[in-house]
Amino acid sequence: MGDLAVGARSGHDGPEEPERTDGSAAPATEDVVGSGSDSGSGGGTQGPGAKDPKSKKPRSFWKELPLLIGIALVLALLIKTFLVQAFSIPSDSMQNTLQQGDRVLVDKLTPWFGSEPGRGEVVVFHDPDSWLAGEPTPNPNAVQQILSKIGLMPSADEKDLIKRVIGVAGDTIECNKTGPLKVNGKALNEPYVYAGNTPCSVDDQGGQFKVKVPEGKIWVMGDHRQNSLDSRYHQQDKNAGFVPVGNVVGRAIVIAWPPTRWATLPIPDTFDQNLSAAAPGALGLAGAVPLVLWRRRRLTVGNSRVSGRGTAG
């Protein structure tokens, strides 16, 4: 039995190894050598210079930390530039909707897709023409400057304002006496106006007005009507008080800080009514078309009868 096993393993057809005197078979040396020669293609012991890939140690947390911080800063910068940015409310001009010290998040994404400000939206915009002249300039420390640049803190360097959009291109807006404020002849019910204020301000600096919004501009007003230097009081600047659409940073969508003030900033229901300046004309045209067609038909029939009589006569 021992010889057959050796022969089967060695694969040789030559003479078989003789039995030992003690009856045991000779050691199968070829098998030992053969198994060692196969180590390069499969299992077996690796050479002294080989490295086990499984033995590579992962980087420590402290070595990975700078990379993680770098990625986080890049993402924060991209978010601030293209998606959302935080802004701080520096004044009381938008009370009670916004309080001084509130932090709001501003949607900067939709303007990239061509969306323009709509009536009733609370928007942040760059100073159109020295509206903030004389206002104190903030002096943030180095850490605040870095955080503001990546959007983790409100911007301290940019000259930005926040107001509510009242009118868009083509709208006629007017204030007479204490109000109500009218857009294209329709009165607005404004529950967001600061308690104790009137919708319109009785003064000779701009509180009484009637304006038509040109293309590419918007008309903005603060909710604290008697404490807001808005479009009404800049009608002598180069934009006649209007804000260029290109100056709009984005729409404020939520109060993010402090937690006790958390709230969304939806468009008030009063702006849901049909305020379009083109609507009355369009309705009038639609009503006039049937009348014109009926009149033309009547005149055509009448003319054919007259010409018929003339030919017969």
Side-chain angles (χ1 to χ4, degrees):
M1 291 293 292
D3 292 299
L4 291 176
V6 171
R9 288 200 300 270
S10 63
H12 289 281
D13 295 328
E16 298 177 355
E17 293 288 337
E19 290 186 359
R20 292 189 177 185
T21 56
D22 57 3
S24 62
T29 55
E30 292 186 8
D31 288 329
V32 175
V33 174
S35 61
S37 64
D38 294 337
S39 61
S41 60
T45 306
Q46 294 183 338
K51 293 183 179 180
D52 185 359
K54 295 182 180 180
S55 65
K56 186 177 180 181
K57 294 182 179 180
R59 289 185 180 182
S60 68
F61 170 76
W62 297 110
K63 289 183 179 180
E64 295 283 356
L65 185 59
L67 178 62
L68 295 175
I69 293 176
I71 293 174
L73 293 178
V74 170
L75 290 175
L77 184 60
L78 291 174
I79 290 171
K80 175 211 169 184
T81 303
F82 299 105
L83 300 178
V84 177
Q85 185 175 354
F87 286 86
S88 178
I89 307 303
S91 70
D92 297 329
S93 67
M94 281 297 292
Q95 286 180 320
N96 271 337
T97 303
L98 298 173
Q99 301 288 351
Q100 188 173 163
D102 284 352
R103 264 62 167 177
V104 297
L105 297 182
V106 173
D107 169 25
K108 301 176 70 174
L109 177 63
T110 50
W112 286 92
F113 293 94
S115 176
E116 294 190 355
R119 302 183 195 94
E121 294 181 357
V122 176
V123 297
V124 171
F125 55 94
H126 299 313
D127 190 341
D129 186 24
S130 301
W131 286 25
L132 294 174
E135 294 290 331
T137 303
N139 187 24
N141 58 41
V143 175
Q144 290 174 329
Q145 288 180 344
I146 294 174
L147 293 178
S148 67
K149 287 185 181 299
I150 61 175
L152 297 180
M153 280 192 66
S155 174
D157 298 328
E158 298 175 355
K159 299 292 186 179
D160 298 318
L161 302 98
I162 186 166
K163 305 291 180 188
R164 189 180 299 278
V165 179
I166 300 299
V168 296
D171 288 345
T172 298
I173 308 166
E174 58 184 311
C175 257
N176 294 314
K177 299 181 180 180
T178 58
L181 176 65
K182 293 182 179 180
V183 177
N184 297 322
K186 296 183 179 180
L188 297 182
N189 175 27
E190 300 183 283
Y192 47 81
V193 170
Y194 185 72
N197 280 194
T198 54
C200 298
S201 302
V202 181
D203 58 51
D204 57 359
Q205 284 81 45
Q208 304 289 289
F209 63 89
K210 184 175 183 178
V211 297
K212 184 173 182 178
V213 185
E215 286 294 326
K217 305 289 178 62
I218 57 175
W219 181 269
V220 299
M221 296 172 68
D223 291 353
H224 198 336
R225 292 291 157 80
Q226 274 76 62
N227 189 24
S228 176
L229 296 177
D230 45 43
S231 289
R232 299 170 292 172
Y233 299 105
H234 294 91
Q235 296 184 59
Q236 304 305 317
D237 70 9
K238 66 179 183 181
N239 299 303
F242 302 105
V243 177
V245 170
N247 281 44
V248 177
V249 177
R251 175 187 171 187
I253 53 177
V254 66
I255 303 172
W257 190 266
T260 54
R261 292 271 303 148
W262 191 93
T264 57
L265 296 169
I267 298 175
D269 293 340
T270 189
F271 292 94
D272 289 340
Q273 59 179 315
N274 190 356
L275 298 174
S276 175
L283 291 175
L285 179 62
V289 168
L291 180 62
V292 171
L293 293 176
W294 173 78
R295 182 175 175 79
R296 288 189 62 183
R297 177 181 175 84
R298 186 176 181 183
L299 290 174
T300 302
V301 173
N303 288 338
S304 64
R305 288 175 179 173
V306 171
S307 60
R309 291 195 189 102
T311 304

